[in-house]
Amino acid sequence: MDRLYSPWRLSYVTTSEPVAGCIFCNAASAAATDPLVVARGQAAFVILNLYPYNSGHLMVVPVRHVASLAELSGDERAELMDLTARAEVALTEVYRPQGLNIGVNLGKAAGAGIADHLHVHVVPRWTGDTNFMSVVGNVRVLPEELGDTKRRLQPIFERLQRAGS
């Protein structure tokens, strides 16, 4: 029998109480201490998805707690898109994906897991990344731990920030 290890899920499955408040607001206010935050701007930040679809699955999140793009100011929208473009560059450099899914789910009916705080998903994709494990076993196999993902991506975001791109 093959075994799949996902050690980061232990705290989730053994915690009986949900996290208080909005997870994105908590991450935004945690300053540099949140282990999932990869990059920060003034009005938005980039965070790893705790339950990623693929290795490198990022979310770009406005600092302000809003549910839709229309609620953002022009400056907030600009920074959200700037960080999304940087996520594209960083993921392409580190993972060399064959494609990227970039999207926003507005509302529960559209698939938003956290409907009241807008976030943009940036997911690297490869031909065949949805294999028999996902289809038959309803299991996603991820070859990299989240801490390693952050260590690989963070320097690229820092370089892009310094370069102003």
Side-chain angles (χ1 to χ4, degrees), residues 16-83:
S16 60
E17 296 180 29
V19 174
C22 170
I23 64 166
F24 293 135
C25 289
N26 291 346
S29 66
T33 61
D34 191 297
L36 298 177
V37 173
V38 177
R40 291 184 184 275
Q42 294 298 311
F45 61 96
V46 180
I47 189 168
L48 296 168
N49 189 320
L50 185 56
Y51 307 107
Y53 185 81
N54 275 338
S55 292
H57 183 166
L58 299 174
M59 294 177 292
V60 184
V61 184
V63 170
R64 195 161 60 91
H65 188 92
V66 297
S68 73
L69 290 165
E71 294 178 65
L72 294 172
S73 71
D75 289 342
E76 289 170 321
R77 274 193 307 275
E79 187 169 88
L80 189 76
M81 288 312 299
D82 182 57
L83 284 172

Side-chain angles (χ1 to χ4, degrees), residues 4 52-54 125 129-131 133-134 137-142:
L4 304 176
Y53 185 81
N54 275 338
R125 298 300 307 269
D129 65 13
T130 303
N131 60 25
M133 290 297 290
S134 299
N138 198 28
V139 171
R140 174 83 43 197
V141 179
L142 301 167

